[in-house]
Amino acid sequence: MLQYAQTLPAIMRRLFQYLNPIAHLGHRNYSVLFPLLSTFFLAVFIDILVYRILADPSSAGLFAIALPLAFIIYFSFRDGITGGVISSVITILFYVYIVDVHPTPNQTEEQLTTQFITITALGTLYIFIALTIGWLKQTIDKLILQEADEKRRLQAILEQLPVGVLITNSRGQIIQGNKQVEVILGRKMNSELVVGKDTIPNAEKNHRSNSHISDKAVQASDWPLARALKTKKAVVGKEFIITHENGKKVHLQISASPIRSADGRVIAAASIIYDVTAQKELEARKDDFVNMASHELKTPITSLKLYMASLKSRFRKHQDEGIRKILKSIDYQMDKLQGLVSDLLDVSRIQTGKLMLNYEDFRLDNLVSETAESLQGTIKNHQIIIRKKSPVKVHADRFRIYQVLTNLITNAAKYSSDNKDIAIELRKDGNKVVVSVIDNGIGIDKDKQKKIFEKLYQVTDSKERTFPGLGMGLFISKEIISRHKGQIWVESEKGKGSIFSFSLPLPS
Ligand code: ADP
């Protein structure tokens, strides 16, 4: 009994599916038997109803036209032209049968001709209706099948991709995706993954700006797909960390963009999900290595510097000029080495979020003058000129700001040919102070200007490659300035020179 109770709704559902013409859209399994038998039994039913039960031939017109017409429309829509035509033909045969078997009393020859003309007219109308609706239904089927083929083709391509792909409709419901999404997200993909609902748990945004990670839980509306749909703009390379059910942490890089219709409406959005865990691990290992290496190098270099100092003092008055020169060059090279190691250490501190700042109040204009003066001692081929300055007090890390200034001035010298002046300007601008280092050197291409502040980035074209360096200076400077809530930027034209500027907020 229970089993029957369970199967009954299922049977009803299947029956409804079978009868519902909409459920047959996009299918080409047009039935012949169903319209044939149904219309035949309908004819038998009308015959019995009109001539035997009601025994009222005058009602034949109503039943014999309305009901078969409904059947013809239904079968044309359910089974295409075949269904509609079969239903029409049976109905016409039924009409002939009625005229033949149930003639009107005292029927004249003329009446009979009229009846056959009526049957012919009705038959033509029915066939016409069957053809029109059937053709419409078959065209819709074709379009639906074409779309399904298109989707299958796209799906086949999506499955080949090494990245996860999700496509949503305009409401953010996922309508297509590939297996990789499930692998990367570590969960089955179903309609549950609806953007806009808080359905992707354990996700943290990887705030890698300034290169140290501070994890935060992510709102569903923060997911790139949701953002792309909301803002109608592409979202590129956002990083997230998600935790799989087995506890495995996965780094994701997600991009998304809205898809527009021909008239510009946003009709969908597509997202690409990269699993960058392996890359991140490699990066972390490299960072660890740099960290370890720079620490290991620091100690012997410091000792060497000490030995060097004592050697230098011993040979200060040595009569052999050659020895004194050699010692001087060793000392110079060691200073360079010490600078490199200290940069490496800074990069590693930035990576791990351990770059500490010691704030103090000091006169920035004085620091600029002191730095320019001390660098002029080593930069022999360029004149460093302070063009503009006024007394400005700032609250900042003096040593780190000195480091930024040194980097900008030495770069200005390094990337300009000899005898070209380097100018420095300091000016107040509202509630901040701006320092600019201006050179007339080789300049930087527009498309490279943003990149030079990235870690280990160096402009490499045949000319610049001759300049030594590791591309750490500007990266460190940018980090120092942004930690001070300031900005650093460059204005430059290839071949003409560059203006590197940074701003610091003034104490309120
Ligand atoms: P490094 O100078 O050690 O290579 P930086 O981070 O200081 O590293 O600079 C990054 C890159 O930016 C340099 O390799 C150089 O191509 C470019 N650059 C920096 N300053 C200047 C400048 N004043 N003029 C032209 N190019 C510059």
Side-chain angles (χ1 to χ4, degrees):
M1 185 64 196
L2 188 73
Q3 196 185 2
Y4 180 69
Q6 274 174 349
T7 49
L8 190 66
I11 293 172
M12 294 298 287
R13 225 180 0 254
R14 290 199 60 171
L15 185 68
F16 180 71
Q17 283 273 72
Y18 186 74
L19 294 177
N20 182 7
I22 307 283
H24 288 261
L25 282 176
H27 296 283
R28 279 215 178 117
N29 50 348
Y30 307 134
S31 175
V32 172
L33 217 56
F34 185 45
L36 193 134
L37 292 179
S38 305
T39 322
F40 176 75
F41 285 119
L42 176 73
V44 174
F45 168 73
I46 295 170
D47 190 36
I48 295 171
L49 182 75
V50 173
Y51 293 99
R52 278 166 240 257
I53 301 175
L54 299 177
D56 175 15
S58 65
S59 62
L62 175 71
F63 285 107
I65 291 179
L67 287 178
L69 184 62
F71 266 50
I72 291 165
I73 294 173
Y74 169 76
F75 282 116
S76 319
F77 196 55
R78 187 187 178 278
D79 295 301
I81 293 175
T82 329
V85 168
I86 289 175
S87 197
S88 307
V89 169
I90 306 251
T91 307
I92 295 162
L93 291 177
F94 173 54
Y95 289 168
V96 175
Y97 162 83
I98 292 177
V99 172
D100 196 36
V101 178
H102 306 291
T104 2
N106 312 321
Q107 189 173 31
T108 60
E109 190 72 15
E110 215 170 287
Q111 275 175 325
L112 193 68
T113 320
T114 323
Q115 277 172 346
F116 273 105
I117 290 174
T118 315
I119 292 175
T120 316
L122 274 177
T124 317
L125 180 72
Y126 290 169
I127 297 279
F128 178 73
I129 291 173
L131 288 177
T132 316
I133 299 179
W135 174 79
L136 214 87
K137 137 89 176 163
Q138 286 179 215
T139 310
I140 296 174
D141 286 346
K142 217 155 86 190
L143 288 176
I144 294 176
L145 286 171
Q146 260 173 16
E147 200 187 301
D149 281 350
E150 206 61 48
K151 208 169 167 178
R152 259 196 294 276
R153 224 170 306 175
L154 178 64
Q155 189 65 40
I157 298 170
L158 293 186
E159 294 301 344
Q160 307 296 317
L161 295 175
V163 294
V165 180
L166 280 180
I167 300 171
T168 69
N169 59 16
S170 59
R171 278 167 293 145
Q173 282 157 329
I174 285 152
I175 50 167
Q176 207 167 4
N178 60 1
K179 278 268 171 295
Q180 283 76 301
V181 173
E182 296 185 352
V183 177
I184 293 172
L185 295 182
R187 71 206 316 260
K188 278 260 162 279
M189 198 184 69
N190 44 33
S191 49
E192 208 194 308
L193 270 170
V194 174
V195 177
K197 278 195 197 160
D198 204 359
T199 50
I200 309 182
N202 304 330
E204 301 144 16
K205 198 188 243 167
N206 187 0
H207 290 283
R208 253 199 108 104
S209 62
N210 302 341
S211 301
H212 52 264
I213 303 171
S214 64
D215 296 335
K216 255 198 198 167
V218 179
Q219 296 287 312
S221 55
D222 263 356
W223 283 93
L225 262 178
R227 292 207 66 79
L229 275 173
K230 200 169 159 215
T231 60
K232 301 186 167 59
K233 281 192 191 126
V235 179
V236 184
K238 289 273 169 277
E239 290 193 2
F240 298 90
I241 302 171
I242 61 161
T243 312
H244 282 191
E245 261 168 24
N246 59 10
K248 185 182 163 206
K249 288 217 170 210
V250 178
H251 283 256
L252 306 179
Q253 203 179 62
I254 310 182
S255 298
S257 65
I259 300 172
R260 290 175 188 275
S261 64
D263 60 359
R265 274 175 309 117
V266 171
I267 47 166
S271 179
I272 292 191
I273 306 171
Y274 293 92
D275 178 353
V276 287
T277 316
Q279 257 163 274
K280 292 284 163 193
E281 281 169 2
L282 190 70
E283 243 174 65
R285 275 212 298 279
K286 272 198 304 196
D287 290 345
D288 283 351
F289 174 76
V290 171
N291 189 17
M292 254 167 41
S294 42
H295 271 104
E296 291 298 317
L297 284 167
K298 194 183 154 190
T299 329
I301 289 176
T302 317
S303 324
L304 279 174
K305 277 289 287 179
L306 285 173
Y307 288 128
M308 197 61 217
S310 97
L311 259 182
K312 257 171 54 184
S313 73
R314 275 196 208 178
F315 285 91
R316 191 175 303 137
K317 301 222 169 79
H318 201 277
Q319 59 270 60
D320 187 344
E321 168 116 15
I323 288 191
R324 288 213 310 276
K325 259 195 181 153
I326 290 173
L327 285 179
K328 209 172 155 197
S329 342
I330 296 177
D331 200 30
Y332 174 71
Q333 295 300 338
M334 271 188 13
D335 280 345
K336 275 179 87 172
L337 196 59
Q338 201 169 28
L340 277 176
V341 171
S342 136
D343 276 358
L344 273 175
L345 265 173
D346 281 345
V347 168
S348 140
R349 283 187 190 116
I350 292 168
Q351 289 310 138
T352 49
K354 285 185 189 147
L355 186 84
M356 297 301 165
L357 295 181
N358 299 312
Y359 282 91
E360 59 182 300
D361 289 323
F362 63 91
R363 287 265 302 267
L364 183 63
D365 53 312
N366 288 348
L367 179 68
V368 168
S369 312
E370 284 161 30
T371 316
E373 206 175 302
S374 82
L375 286 176
Q376 188 67 84
T378 48
I379 300 174
K380 295 278 181 250
N381 302 323
H382 302 271
Q383 189 70 27
I384 305 173
I385 305 158
I386 299 179
R387 265 211 303 239
K388 246 192 248 167
K389 73 168 187 177
S390 54
V392 182
K393 240 191 184 163
V394 291
H395 183 68
D397 184 322
R398 196 171 192 281
F399 169 72
R400 292 296 176 186
I401 300 300
Y402 163 78
Q403 194 179 347
V404 174
L405 275 167
T406 309
N407 180 237
L408 297 187
I409 298 170
T410 44
N411 272 354
K414 188 158 111 185
Y415 298 105
S416 356
S417 45
D418 289 353
N419 303 323
K420 297 233 168 140
D421 288 351
I422 297 165
I424 303 175
E425 289 182 4
L426 179 148
R427 61 181 190 280
K428 279 189 192 166
D429 181 8
N431 53 359
K432 56 185 197 271
V433 53
V434 179
V435 178
S436 301
V437 177
I438 305 150
D439 68 55
N440 299 301
I442 60 171
I444 305 159
D445 266 340
K446 281 265 169 301
D447 58 326
K448 308 219 167 98
Q449 290 180 7
K450 267 221 170 84
K451 290 193 174 148
I452 55 172
F453 294 99
E454 288 170 13
K455 189 173 63 165
L456 306 185
Y457 185 85
Q458 287 187 292
V459 181
T460 49
D461 65 28
S462 49
K463 246 187 181 173
E464 271 98 308
R465 221 171 289 158
T466 51
F467 295 98
L470 289 178
M472 293 186 287
L474 289 179
F475 171 69
I476 297 170
S477 300
K478 186 177 164 107
E479 176 71 14
I480 291 172
I481 296 299
S482 48
R483 288 282 304 279
H484 279 87
K485 300 199 167 41
Q487 278 170 320
I488 185 164
W489 67 97
V490 63
E491 297 148 85
S492 180
E493 205 176 313
K494 188 88 186 145
K496 294 223 167 122
S498 314
I499 306 176
F500 277 86
S501 308
F502 69 86
S503 67
L504 286 176
L506 287 171
S508 41

